[in-house]
Amino acid sequence: MTSTSLMMIILVILPFYSWCATPTVAANLSPANIDGLKAQFQTAMKSFSDVASIHYTLAGIKELGVVPPDTYCNDIKKLVDKSDVESIFHATEAARALANCKLPAEEYRALLTSTLQSDKSTTAEVYYAVRASVNLGLNVDESRVEKRLNALAKTDDSVASQGYALLTGAQLSQPIAKFYADTINDLVQQADEVDGRTLQYEGGVGTTALLVNAFYEVAEKAGVPVKIDPKQLIKFASYFSTKRHVATLRSAYYLTKVFKYLSDRKNTIPVVVSRTTPAAVSAQNPSVFVSVSNLFGQPVGEIFVVAESAKRKEDGAVVISKQKLTAKDSTSSIFELPFYDAKIPRGFYTIHLTLTPRGDEKLIGLTDNTIEVKVTSEAALENAELNVADRDSTAQAKTHKLTYPNALSEKLDLHSHQKLIIKFQVKDKRTGEYVRTQQAFIRFTNKKSKKEIIYLAEAVSGATAQYKAEMDLTSNAADFRYQSGAYDLVVIVGDSLLQNAFEWKVNDNVQLTFHEDSLADKNHQDLYLPRPEIIHQFRVEEKRPPTIVSLVFSGLTLLPLLILLVSWLRLGFNLSGMPLGLSPLVFHASHGAAFALMFVYWKYLDMFQTIRYLALISIPLFLAGHRVLAILAARREKKV
């Protein structure tokens, strides 16, 4: 078998491996991801280049429960740009994250006031100015801010602008905040739905997290719950949970804040159901463990978990119904479902879970939770035999009985008129049944060159599920590149539902002798060695004709002109018959321009450019020529 065939084997195996390795899709931000966000902030704390990075890093790591040291206050004062309202906003937010860091409010008052009074300020700049003023303890003219926000709403209706308006409203009085809180539902409807599973806004995770964060901030200030449909909230949570890593500190900060809002018991909490154990269920791992938590991976309170059903994907057979899962302890978020049972055959299963909280917690996502598992079993290779027979079956085949995992000790000699046949069965140790597997092959390896040739072992039809692989030394000689010599023979069996795969060396001294007229391929050993360098060569210029040929050709080209000049001299060429005036001058000038255009066409222009220029020259040439001919005709009539 060629390398292409080997790739086909890999492509068959990979999907099943990836299914086993991939956990169920859940919205849970695992502790590893929390550590990743924390590590991202801690890495940024080593060196700051701007005040915005200080803001997002210090505020973000504080949201994760780490108190940043006050030593960063000097960095804030050093990097803040007092002439930029956004820089002042970031500085005040960063200072707010520290326990003891005060900024001089009077140094920023003038710029903040002028920004709020300006008719050119954007929604974001209004928010920066209002938030910075609040952080510095400065008074804000709420009526003027509200008027400016209303004007901006008519000219900029982007979701980002509306998000900053909500964040600004959260800094103002409760009536104003309530007005903006009532617009949350309209903003939710503007989110883009992807595959019916997630909701997001144009601009990515940073914009989406900012908007959802604004929902909670303005609703909290207004003293009302966030008015989002539970199904839509689940879709937002699903979107955020897919963002395991983010590129910018801004996105990391707002994502952290959103996770905290979605995990706060004061708010509606999306429940995360995920499998904490591997997908494979076996005698060694008989139970499925399920985690029930919030997006921070924390317990959501006392809750009952029931496996409504467990269906086999192959035929939809229900093997479990209405079975309650057992909590590890009263405070644990881990639940156990015993699943390995003699009555449950091996296969892939989907378990449907329903959750019921004991208290009055505001939990959503309690139904339609599924986890994927597979029941595996151990297997054994039995009834294996190796046959060496003639191609035309004139002689009786020689049969060798094989016992796994023992190798056949005697040497096997096969010639070009023979073929090798291997048969075996795969037995499920748990049920005692013979089963079919997803991969079954035999592999020959040249002991000298290490070249591998692989053949598929096919299951013979019938209840016995016997596998058979056949290799004919005549028809399959090309696969071996006609290389006679010693080969290893290995049987390979694998399946995603088997706990143990097989790579059984049947014999390490199989001597293959191909037809004597066959030519051995010597180049296969050099397949992966460097090839000779390819040096590009330009076409060699054609040899030019002798100079005398060029001169004669040029002379023949100029000969008609010479004949014209001689003819004019013999006829008595003169300019006495040329009429005077503007028209003759324009005619001859246009005529000369046309000849000059032919030269330029030869040297520089293409045909289409030449036609355009010639069309322009033709207009005065035609008009002036017509006028000159009229003058000459009038002269002739006068002479007559």
Side-chain angles (χ1 to χ4, degrees), residues 537-614:
Q537 291 184 343
F538 292 97
R539 186 178 65 179
V540 180
E541 292 186 3
E542 296 181 1
K543 187 177 180 181
R544 290 192 172 190
T547 306
I548 186 64
V549 176
S550 301
L551 292 174
V552 170
F553 181 80
S554 300
L556 292 174
T557 303
L558 297 173
L559 184 60
L561 180 60
L562 180 62
I563 293 173
L564 176 64
L565 294 175
V566 172
S567 301
W568 281 353
L569 292 174
R570 291 182 62 85
L571 294 173
F573 170 77
N574 60 76
L575 301 176
S576 61
M578 178 179 174
L580 299 176
L582 181 61
S583 296
L585 182 61
V586 172
F587 170 73
H588 289 292
S590 302
H591 205 204
F595 282 114
L597 180 62
M598 294 302 104
F599 173 78
V600 175
Y601 166 60
W602 175 53
K603 289 288 289 183
Y604 307 108
L605 303 180
D606 57 37
M607 182 177 65
F608 298 101
Q609 292 173 317
T610 305
I611 290 173
R612 286 199 296 269
Y613 292 130
L614 187 59

Side-chain angles (χ1 to χ4, degrees), residues 276-447:
T276 61
T277 51
V281 178
S282 61
Q284 293 76 25
N285 299 294
S287 295
V288 178
F289 287 90
V290 177
S291 168
V292 179
S293 65
N294 58 26
L295 288 167
F296 261 159
Q298 302 164 336
V300 293
E302 192 170 353
I303 197 167
F304 300 102
V305 184
V306 175
E308 295 292 336
S309 65
K311 295 182 180 180
R312 188 164 61 177
K313 289 189 173 183
E314 181 182 352
D315 52 12
V318 178
V319 296
I320 282 181
S321 179
K322 301 292 183 180
Q323 184 169 334
K324 184 178 178 181
L325 278 68
T326 305
K328 276 191 171 183
D329 54 64
S330 59
T331 60
S332 176
S333 61
I334 304 298
F335 296 80
E336 180 182 3
L337 174 65
F339 201 77
Y340 191 79
D341 189 279
K343 298 179 182 178
I344 301 179
R346 71 191 194 110
F348 297 94
Y349 293 87
T350 301
I351 303 175
H352 296 263
L353 301 174
T354 299
L355 287 68
T356 305
R358 184 172 184 178
D360 57 351
E361 290 86 353
K362 295 179 287 185
L363 306 179
I364 58 174
L366 301 176
T367 59
D368 299 326
N369 292 292
T370 61
I371 55 174
E372 308 287 341
V373 297
K374 64 174 183 175
V375 176
T376 62
S377 62
E378 292 188 73
L381 295 182
E382 296 185 354
N383 303 325
E385 62 179 41
L386 184 151
N387 299 324
V388 178
D390 291 338
R391 297 183 71 244
D392 53 9
S393 302
T394 56
Q396 185 176 0
K398 185 177 181 181
T399 301
H400 303 271
K401 294 293 183 180
L402 305 173
T403 303
Y404 177 81
N406 301 325
L408 191 64
S409 58
E410 61 183 282
K411 176 183 175 182
L412 293 177
D413 287 307
L414 281 83
H415 299 275
S416 58
H417 62 278
Q418 293 179 311
K419 59 183 179 180
L420 180 143
I421 303 169
I422 288 185
K423 300 177 182 178
F424 59 89
Q425 291 175 295
V426 182
K427 185 177 183 179
D428 188 330
K429 288 185 177 181
R430 187 170 64 135
T431 62
E433 298 177 350
Y434 293 109
V435 296
R436 297 176 184 268
T437 61
Q438 292 159 348
Q439 295 96 27
F441 312 97
I442 63 170
R443 182 183 69 204
F444 291 89
T445 305
N446 190 304
K447 300 190 74 171

Side-chain angles (χ1 to χ4, degrees), residues 446-507:
N446 190 304
K447 300 190 74 171
K448 183 178 180 181
S449 66
K450 304 303 180 184
K451 179 185 183 320
E452 295 181 349
I453 304 93
I454 301 175
Y455 293 98
L456 178 67
E458 297 182 356
V460 180
S461 59
T464 59
Q466 185 185 56
Y467 281 88
K468 177 182 178 181
E470 183 174 324
M471 190 277 294
D472 190 314
L473 263 71
T474 298
S475 59
N476 298 118
D479 297 337
F480 292 84
R481 299 181 184 269
Y482 307 101
Q483 293 292 315
S484 300
Y487 286 80
D488 288 334
L489 175 59
V490 175
V491 171
I492 302 172
V493 177
D495 192 284
S496 59
L497 295 177
L498 293 181
Q499 296 176 36
N500 53 324
F502 300 92
E503 188 172 356
W504 176 20
K505 182 177 284 190
V506 176
N507 191 280

Side-chain angles (χ1 to χ4, degrees), residues 154-283:
K154 298 176 183 179
T155 58
D156 185 0
D157 60 350
S158 64
V159 291
S161 177
Q162 295 179 69
Y164 281 117
L166 263 65
L167 289 172
T168 306
Q171 313 307 314
L172 306 178
S173 62
Q174 191 175 45
I176 297 176
K178 190 175 186 306
F179 169 78
Y180 284 101
D182 291 338
T183 66
I184 291 177
N185 188 58
D186 294 335
L187 260 175
V188 172
Q189 304 308 317
Q190 297 181 43
D192 299 323
E193 188 170 18
V194 181
D195 297 332
R197 299 175 59 186
T198 63
L199 283 176
Q200 66 181 81
Y201 290 101
E202 183 179 355
V205 62
T207 301
T208 307
L210 182 143
L211 264 294
V212 176
N213 177 69
F215 297 163
Y216 282 94
E217 282 197 22
V218 73
E220 185 176 3
K221 182 59 180 286
V224 297
V226 178
K227 297 177 182 179
I228 302 180
D229 183 86
K231 292 182 179 180
Q232 294 174 318
L233 188 58
I234 286 289
K235 291 177 181 179
F236 274 121
S238 297
Y239 172 73
F240 293 127
S241 69
T242 62
K243 305 304 174 183
R244 317 305 284 180
H245 305 282
V246 289
T248 65
L249 289 170
R250 178 179 183 272
S251 298
Y253 166 66
Y254 283 114
L255 186 63
T256 303
K257 289 197 69 176
V258 166
F259 280 135
K260 192 168 183 180
Y261 275 122
L262 292 175
S263 301
D264 193 332
R265 290 179 179 271
K266 296 184 297 183
N267 305 316
T268 301
I269 301 175
V271 175
V272 176
V273 179
S274 59
R275 191 188 64 244
T276 61
T277 51
V281 178
S282 61

Side-chain angles (χ1 to χ4, degrees), residues 51-52 55 76 80 86-96 103 108:
V51 72
H55 163 207
I76 298 171
V80 62
E86 183 178 358
S87 181
I88 296 172
F89 158 74
H90 289 303
T92 59
E93 287 288 282
R96 190 167 176 267
L103 299 179
Y108 310 116

